[in-house]
Amino acid sequence: MQNRNAVFLEDLCPKLGDRRWRQSIHNFTEKHCIYCGNHSESIDHVVPRSKGGLSITENCVPACLPCNGSKSDYEAFTWYRRQRFYDPRRAMAIRAWIDGDLRLAMRLIEWAKPKKMKNDQYQHDSETKDWNIKAA
């Protein structure tokens, strides 16, 4: 009986493995930017590659093109605190992501999403101090 070595598709085409890895990162956040919540088209390195950041799941987050371009090679938390769309829940999600706790990161991102009402209007949290007063 002969012992054959297995050949995997990723061995023949290394870019396929990279593409699947990138897709899995986008799928974690349902293709939303981890910073602002818009549609994500790119992968951002939390610690930039120019400053020693690695291309590993804990350092790569899904980001939209405007956030990725604006962040450039800044440290993520310094840059994110200066943005008008800063949300402390998303900042905690980014921290959980880079600590390797993707489950906690996803729960925090879900918590940060606005909730839809019946007529496609968004209900704001009480933290935003927008009160919707309804007549009795």
Side-chain angles (χ1 to χ4, degrees):
M1 184 148 126
Q2 282 185 319
N3 184 7
R4 293 185 178 184
N5 291 334
V7 176
F8 296 100
L9 195 55
E10 285 87 8
D11 295 336
L12 298 174
C13 182
K15 287 189 176 184
L16 181 64
D18 185 49
R19 185 177 304 144
R20 286 184 181 167
W21 173 71
R22 288 174 162 270
Q23 287 173 346
S24 71
I25 288 177
H26 284 289
N27 289 340
F28 274 118
T29 60
E30 298 173 352
K31 299 184 181 179
H32 289 94
C33 175
I34 200 163
Y35 300 117
C36 67
N38 292 333
H39 182 73
S40 65
E41 302 96 3
S42 66
I43 300 291
D44 180 51
H45 290 79
V46 177
V47 176
R49 291 180 68 190
S50 63
K51 296 183 179 172
L54 301 174
S55 292
I56 58 175
T57 303
E58 290 82 9
N59 191 42
C60 295
V61 294
C64 63
L65 291 176
C67 286
N68 198 353
S70 171
K71 181 184 164 284
S72 186
D73 66 346
Y74 293 109
E75 194 271 327
F77 293 104
T78 306
W79 169 82
Y80 188 52
R81 282 186 207 105
R82 292 182 289 156
Q83 305 307 307
R84 61 179 169 74
F85 51 81
Y86 173 78
D87 186 344
R89 296 169 293 193
R90 286 189 178 275
M92 288 189 300
I94 296 165
R95 175 61 64 194
W97 185 291
I98 64 175
D99 287 343
D101 193 351
L102 299 180
R103 185 181 293 175
L104 175 61
M106 294 305 97
R107 292 188 74 189
L108 289 165
I109 288 172
E110 281 295 318
W111 186 35
K113 287 182 185 175
K115 296 178 181 137
K116 272 193 174 182
M117 294 172 67
K118 284 183 183 177
N119 54 1
D120 290 336
Q121 292 178 348
Y122 289 99
Q123 174 184 357
H124 297 287
D125 290 338
S126 61
E127 294 175 9
T128 60
K129 298 191 170 101
D130 289 340
W131 299 95
N132 293 332
I133 299 173
K134 296 181 180 178

